[in-house]
PDB file of all heavy atoms in Angstrom:
ATOM      1  N   ALA A 252      -4.472 -31.557 -31.788  1.00  0.00           N
ATOM      2  CA  ALA A 252      -3.657 -31.439 -30.613  1.00  0.00           C
ATOM      3  C   ALA A 252      -3.189 -30.027 -30.353  1.00  0.00           C
ATOM      4  O   ALA A 252      -2.971 -29.590 -29.234  1.00  0.00           O
ATOM      5  CB  ALA A 252      -2.496 -32.395 -30.647  1.00  0.00           C
ATOM      6  N   LEU A 257      -4.138 -23.590 -27.292  1.00  0.00           N
ATOM      7  CA  LEU A 257      -4.731 -22.279 -27.630  1.00  0.00           C
ATOM      8  C   LEU A 257      -6.000 -22.100 -26.739  1.00  0.00           C
ATOM      9  O   LEU A 257      -6.194 -20.943 -26.256  1.00  0.00           O
ATOM     10  CB  LEU A 257      -5.104 -22.237 -29.124  1.00  0.00           C
ATOM     11  CG  LEU A 257      -3.913 -22.193 -30.031  1.00  0.00           C
ATOM     12  CD1 LEU A 257      -4.455 -22.186 -31.464  1.00  0.00           C
ATOM     13  CD2 LEU A 257      -3.035 -21.012 -29.866  1.00  0.00           C
ATOM     14  N   PHE A 259      -6.344 -23.315 -23.763  1.00  0.00           N
ATOM     15  CA  PHE A 259      -5.780 -23.002 -22.464  1.00  0.00           C
ATOM     16  C   PHE A 259      -5.319 -21.531 -22.305  1.00  0.00           C
ATOM     17  O   PHE A 259      -5.608 -20.820 -21.261  1.00  0.00           O
ATOM     18  CB  PHE A 259      -4.697 -23.975 -22.094  1.00  0.00           C
ATOM     19  CG  PHE A 259      -4.027 -23.635 -20.833  1.00  0.00           C
ATOM     20  CD1 PHE A 259      -4.589 -23.997 -19.575  1.00  0.00           C
ATOM     21  CD2 PHE A 259      -2.766 -23.007 -20.766  1.00  0.00           C
ATOM     22  CE1 PHE A 259      -4.041 -23.708 -18.437  1.00  0.00           C
ATOM     23  CE2 PHE A 259      -2.172 -22.692 -19.521  1.00  0.00           C
ATOM     24  CZ  PHE A 259      -2.779 -23.070 -18.366  1.00  0.00           C
ATOM     25  N   LEU A 270      -9.818 -10.612 -12.768  1.00  0.00           N
ATOM     26  CA  LEU A 270      -9.216 -10.247 -11.428  1.00  0.00           C
ATOM     27  C   LEU A 270      -9.281  -8.728 -11.401  1.00  0.00           C
ATOM     28  O   LEU A 270      -8.770  -7.985 -12.246  1.00  0.00           O
ATOM     29  CB  LEU A 270      -7.785 -10.715 -11.318  1.00  0.00           C
ATOM     30  CG  LEU A 270      -7.569 -12.231 -11.247  1.00  0.00           C
ATOM     31  CD1 LEU A 270      -6.088 -12.508 -11.165  1.00  0.00           C
ATOM     32  CD2 LEU A 270      -8.230 -12.745  -9.966  1.00  0.00           C
ATOM     33  N   SER A 271      -9.918  -8.146 -10.378  1.00  0.00           N
ATOM     34  CA  SER A 271     -10.039  -6.714 -10.283  1.00  0.00           C
ATOM     35  C   SER A 271      -8.853  -6.084  -9.525  1.00  0.00           C
ATOM     36  O   SER A 271      -8.364  -6.698  -8.597  1.00  0.00           O
ATOM     37  CB  SER A 271     -11.364  -6.394  -9.498  1.00  0.00           C
ATOM     38  OG  SER A 271     -11.305  -6.931  -8.200  1.00  0.00           O
ATOM     39  N   GLY A 272      -8.487  -4.882 -10.026  1.00  0.00           N
ATOM     40  CA  GLY A 272      -7.436  -4.198  -9.413  1.00  0.00           C
ATOM     41  C   GLY A 272      -6.032  -4.782  -9.746  1.00  0.00           C
ATOM     42  O   GLY A 272      -5.855  -5.812 -10.356  1.00  0.00           O
ATOM     43  N   LEU A 274      -2.036  -5.766  -8.793  1.00  0.00           N
ATOM     44  CA  LEU A 274      -1.324  -6.482  -7.699  1.00  0.00           C
ATOM     45  C   LEU A 274      -0.919  -5.637  -6.550  1.00  0.00           C
ATOM     46  O   LEU A 274      -1.058  -5.928  -5.363  1.00  0.00           O
ATOM     47  CB  LEU A 274      -0.072  -7.212  -8.269  1.00  0.00           C
ATOM     48  CG  LEU A 274       0.686  -8.067  -7.286  1.00  0.00           C
ATOM     49  CD1 LEU A 274      -0.212  -9.197  -6.775  1.00  0.00           C
ATOM     50  CD2 LEU A 274       1.908  -8.645  -7.927  1.00  0.00           C
ATOM     51  N   LYS A 275      -0.514  -4.338  -6.859  1.00  0.00           N
ATOM     52  CA  LYS A 275      -0.081  -3.427  -5.822  1.00  0.00           C
ATOM     53  C   LYS A 275      -1.264  -3.089  -4.921  1.00  0.00           C
ATOM     54  O   LYS A 275      -1.150  -3.052  -3.635  1.00  0.00           O
ATOM     55  CB  LYS A 275       0.467  -2.172  -6.444  1.00  0.00           C
ATOM     56  CG  LYS A 275       0.973  -1.071  -5.474  1.00  0.00           C
ATOM     57  CD  LYS A 275       1.514   0.116  -6.207  1.00  0.00           C
ATOM     58  CE  LYS A 275       1.912   1.113  -5.181  1.00  0.00           C
ATOM     59  NZ  LYS A 275       2.393   2.321  -5.792  1.00  0.00           N
ATOM     60  N   ILE A 282      -2.392  -6.728   2.981  1.00  0.00           N
ATOM     61  CA  ILE A 282      -1.177  -6.908   3.688  1.00  0.00           C
ATOM     62  C   ILE A 282      -0.777  -5.745   4.557  1.00  0.00           C
ATOM     63  O   ILE A 282      -0.452  -5.888   5.712  1.00  0.00           O
ATOM     64  CB  ILE A 282      -0.004  -7.269   2.704  1.00  0.00           C
ATOM     65  CG1 ILE A 282      -0.229  -8.433   1.777  1.00  0.00           C
ATOM     66  CG2 ILE A 282       1.305  -7.526   3.487  1.00  0.00           C
ATOM     67  CD1 ILE A 282      -0.584  -9.682   2.529  1.00  0.00           C
ATOM     68  N   GLU A 293     -11.803   6.196  20.514  1.00  0.00           N
ATOM     69  CA  GLU A 293     -11.921   7.288  21.528  1.00  0.00           C
ATOM     70  C   GLU A 293     -12.199   8.589  20.738  1.00  0.00           C
ATOM     71  O   GLU A 293     -12.981   9.436  21.224  1.00  0.00           O
ATOM     72  CB  GLU A 293     -10.721   7.460  22.356  1.00  0.00           C
ATOM     73  CG  GLU A 293     -10.296   6.243  23.200  1.00  0.00           C
ATOM     74  CD  GLU A 293      -9.566   5.189  22.417  1.00  0.00           C
ATOM     75  OE1 GLU A 293      -8.794   5.553  21.466  1.00  0.00           O
ATOM     76  OE2 GLU A 293      -9.648   4.026  22.789  1.00  0.00           O
ATOM     77  N   CYS A 295     -12.546  10.076  16.636  1.00  0.00           N
ATOM     78  CA  CYS A 295     -12.589   9.756  15.179  1.00  0.00           C
ATOM     79  C   CYS A 295     -12.071  11.003  14.405  1.00  0.00           C
ATOM     80  O   CYS A 295     -12.290  11.096  13.183  1.00  0.00           O
ATOM     81  CB  CYS A 295     -14.001   9.453  14.751  1.00  0.00           C
ATOM     82  SG  CYS A 295     -14.449   7.699  15.155  1.00  0.00           S
ATOM     83  N   CYS A 299      -5.098   8.519  10.167  1.00  0.00           N
ATOM     84  CA  CYS A 299      -3.711   8.120   9.879  1.00  0.00           C
ATOM     85  C   CYS A 299      -3.644   7.265   8.644  1.00  0.00           C
ATOM     86  O   CYS A 299      -4.667   6.694   8.134  1.00  0.00           O
ATOM     87  CB  CYS A 299      -3.150   7.399  11.065  1.00  0.00           C
ATOM     88  SG  CYS A 299      -4.065   5.837  11.527  1.00  0.00           S
ATOM     89  N   GLU A 303       3.476   5.181  11.977  1.00  0.00           N
ATOM     90  CA  GLU A 303       4.311   6.312  12.346  1.00  0.00           C
ATOM     91  C   GLU A 303       3.511   7.649  12.609  1.00  0.00           C
ATOM     92  O   GLU A 303       3.952   8.558  13.350  1.00  0.00           O
ATOM     93  CB  GLU A 303       5.446   6.582  11.374  1.00  0.00           C
ATOM     94  CG  GLU A 303       6.527   5.566  11.450  1.00  0.00           C
ATOM     95  CD  GLU A 303       6.096   4.240  10.802  1.00  0.00           C
ATOM     96  OE1 GLU A 303       5.289   4.224   9.903  1.00  0.00           O
ATOM     97  OE2 GLU A 303       6.698   3.230  11.234  1.00  0.00           O
ATOM     98  N   ALA A 307       4.033   9.121  17.947  1.00  0.00           N
ATOM     99  CA  ALA A 307       4.448  10.272  18.771  1.00  0.00           C
ATOM    100  C   ALA A 307       3.417  10.527  19.956  1.00  0.00           C
ATOM    101  O   ALA A 307       3.808  11.081  20.945  1.00  0.00           O
ATOM    102  CB  ALA A 307       4.656  11.469  17.876  1.00  0.00           C
ATOM    103  N   LEU A 310      -0.130   6.334  20.445  1.00  0.00           N
ATOM    104  CA  LEU A 310      -1.271   5.608  19.937  1.00  0.00           C
ATOM    105  C   LEU A 310      -0.815   4.667  18.750  1.00  0.00           C
ATOM    106  O   LEU A 310       0.285   4.664  18.434  1.00  0.00           O
ATOM    107  CB  LEU A 310      -2.373   6.542  19.466  1.00  0.00           C
ATOM    108  CG  LEU A 310      -2.807   7.635  20.442  1.00  0.00           C
ATOM    109  CD1 LEU A 310      -3.674   8.673  19.797  1.00  0.00           C
ATOM    110  CD2 LEU A 310      -3.600   6.941  21.551  1.00  0.00           C
ATOM    111  N   ALA A 315     -11.327   1.562  12.086  1.00  0.00           N
ATOM    112  CA  ALA A 315     -12.605   1.586  12.771  1.00  0.00           C
ATOM    113  C   ALA A 315     -13.738   1.979  11.849  1.00  0.00           C
ATOM    114  O   ALA A 315     -13.573   2.181  10.692  1.00  0.00           O
ATOM    115  CB  ALA A 315     -12.520   2.728  13.907  1.00  0.00           C
TER     116      ALA A 315
END
Side-chain angles (χ1 to χ4, degrees):
L257 293 176
F259 175 73
L270 294 174
S271 62
L274 181 61
K275 182 180 177 183
I282 306 299
E293 299 84 27
C295 284
C299 59
E303 285 75 28
L310 303 171

